Amino acid sequence: MKALLSLMLTALAVFSQISAQPFLNREFFTIPKAISLQKYIGNDISDVDIAKTGIGIMWDFSELSLEQLDVVYDLQSFPDPDARFTNNTFRMIAKEGGSTSSAVEVYSLMDGLLLFRGLGIIDEKGRLELDIFNSPFKLMRFPWFIGESFFEDHQFRSSTRTLSAKGVLILPGEQGKQAYKFTETFSEGNTDFVEHSWFIDSIPYPIITIRDAFLKEDSSLLSRSIDVFKQRNAMSIETDESNGQEFLPHYAHGYIHIPKGITLQHIFNLHGERIPFEQVTEGQFLISQSSRTLFIVYLNAQQQIRTHIIQVIQ
């Protein structure tokens, strides 16, 4: 019972933090020991307002069409020979199918900063060659308040970075996750760039990056790239193991319908406010307040706490 209560309190805390905390702390991230990310490229995102700023934003990319690439990004911690960064460093190794070498990026997650320290290559014989910057490029600072910006003049590039929003990010086939969204602006030659990136809980690497390139003279859009990363072998939706079908709560005409074996615990809106509900029949619950986004907290058949986000069409 104590374990169940602890899990429920943890779930409640996630929802309340979405609106309660207007800044990003170092504790949001952990240094990855070994995380493998599959790379995809996305297509049309016209249905998602990526420019919206503030707290409590919903970025619903669930309908985004993805093309899987033969590229895997491995995030790995390693002992840094530089004593200033020992036990705080991880590297990203990009492995492309058919290639005999891999690109490498080096990062350090410190108490007050996330630093990009350099890049390099692992050749076909496994030899690592790194080009470490004279001084690290500051990617983030902690604490960082929503709406705050800082300018970084660096050999890598000179840019302005802004923590622009906090909310919930939904990827295709996954449940919503708390996310922070960043905007970076910089120029190269006759081109201005605006880069939007989203970071989710614990992973100090962008899960989505959308880069827009504009012609400097008239601000016309030249190109847009959408890079998406999903954790390999990670399942985030409940399924009925007997037939592989989704086994989730759903909404219809003012009612929440709960499949057999699931126990409804709480319902929240996007701002973390609890929505009252009343059981009408077995598996059917009437909600007393309307909301475009519903966070459902429930127990699955194994009595494990789970969350599910429902986007209501009104």
Side-chain angles (χ1 to χ4, degrees):
M1 185 65 183
K2 288 183 178 180
L4 176 58
L5 178 60
S6 176
L7 287 170
M8 290 180 63
L9 291 174
T10 300
L12 293 176
V14 169
F15 294 117
S16 62
Q17 287 170 3
I18 290 174
S19 57
Q21 183 172 291
F23 56 87
L24 172 64
N25 269 334
R26 157 67 177 81
E27 288 73 22
F28 186 74
F29 298 113
T30 57
I31 297 173
K33 300 299 182 184
I35 296 177
S36 186
L37 302 173
Q38 179 68 54
K39 185 175 182 180
Y40 300 80
I41 56 174
N43 297 314
D44 182 32
I45 58 163
S46 57
D47 293 337
V48 182
D49 184 358
I50 63 173
K52 187 177 293 186
T53 61
I55 300 176
I57 309 299
M58 168 67 74
W59 299 287
D60 187 355
F61 293 103
S62 58
E63 300 300 319
L64 179 63
S65 176
L66 297 179
E67 177 185 348
Q68 181 174 324
L69 303 182
D70 192 11
V71 181
V72 173
Y73 280 23
D74 288 335
L75 306 181
Q76 305 170 351
S77 62
F78 72 99
D80 197 314
D82 189 328
R84 296 173 299 167
F85 306 106
T86 301
N87 301 322
N88 293 304
T89 300
F90 67 95
R91 58 189 176 187
M92 185 285 295
I93 303 175
K95 300 177 180 178
E96 184 173 356
S99 176
T100 57
S101 60
S102 300
V104 180
E105 297 174 354
V106 178
Y107 300 86
S108 290
L109 182 60
M110 313 299 289
D111 287 339
L113 296 166
L114 173 61
L115 304 173
F116 177 36
R117 303 231 344 267
L119 63 169
I121 191 171
I122 298 177
D123 66 18
E124 66 278 4
K125 295 184 179 180
R127 294 173 299 196
L128 174 63
E129 297 181 9
L130 287 177
D131 181 13
I132 298 298
F133 302 140
N134 294 328
S135 62
F137 180 74
K138 299 180 183 66
L139 290 172
M140 297 185 189
R141 62 185 185 186
F142 311 112
W144 195 352
F145 283 81
I146 305 294
E148 282 190 340
S149 303
F150 69 87
F151 177 75
E152 180 79 348
D153 187 9
H154 193 270
Q155 67 183 98
F156 173 60
R157 65 173 171 237
S158 297
S159 69
T160 298
R161 299 179 63 83
T162 304
L163 174 53
S164 51
K166 176 185 180 181
V168 174
L169 174 70
I170 306 176
L171 292 178
E174 297 187 3
Q175 290 190 23
K177 297 176 182 178
Q178 184 178 181
Y180 287 88
K181 187 245 183 180
F182 300 82
T183 305
E184 182 179 15
T185 57
F186 57 96
S187 298
E188 293 179 3
N190 295 323
T191 306
D192 291 331
F193 292 92
V194 179
E195 190 169 282
H196 308 270
S197 57
W198 286 260
F199 288 71
I200 62 172
D201 186 22
S202 78
I203 301 178
Y205 197 84
I207 295 302
I208 297 185
T209 299
I210 299 174
R211 176 182 285 193
D212 291 333
F214 300 91
L215 186 63
K216 188 183 291 289
E217 64 183 29
D218 61 5
S219 299
S220 58
L221 181 64
L222 297 174
S223 64
R224 164 171 282 178
S225 63
I226 306 172
D227 293 336
V228 179
F229 294 91
K230 301 177 75 173
Q231 247 181 290
R232 302 178 77 194
N233 303 320
M235 293 294 292
S236 59
I237 60 174
E238 289 294 315
T239 60
D240 181 349
E241 296 182 357
S242 63
N243 56 22
Q245 299 298 309
E246 291 189 7
F247 197 58
L248 294 167
H250 64 278
Y251 171 89
H253 308 296
Y255 293 88
I256 297 294
H257 298 267
I258 303 297
K260 186 177 181 180
I262 284 181
T263 304
L264 179 61
Q265 298 293 317
H266 301 284
I267 304 175
F268 298 88
N269 62 20
L270 184 58
H271 303 289
E273 300 165 340
R274 187 172 300 185
I275 296 178
F277 59 87
E278 177 184 357
Q279 183 169 359
V280 178
T281 62
E282 184 177 359
Q284 188 179 53
F285 298 83
L286 175 67
I287 59 176
S288 59
Q289 299 175 10
S290 61
S291 177
R292 293 189 61 185
T293 305
L294 300 174
F295 293 84
I296 311 298
V297 182
Y298 63 94
L299 297 177
N300 65 9
Q302 291 74 42
Q303 296 299 292
Q304 299 167 320
I305 198 75
R306 290 291 184 266
T307 62
H308 178 56
I309 296 177
I310 298 175
Q311 191 73 20
V312 178
I313 300 176
Q314 297 178 332

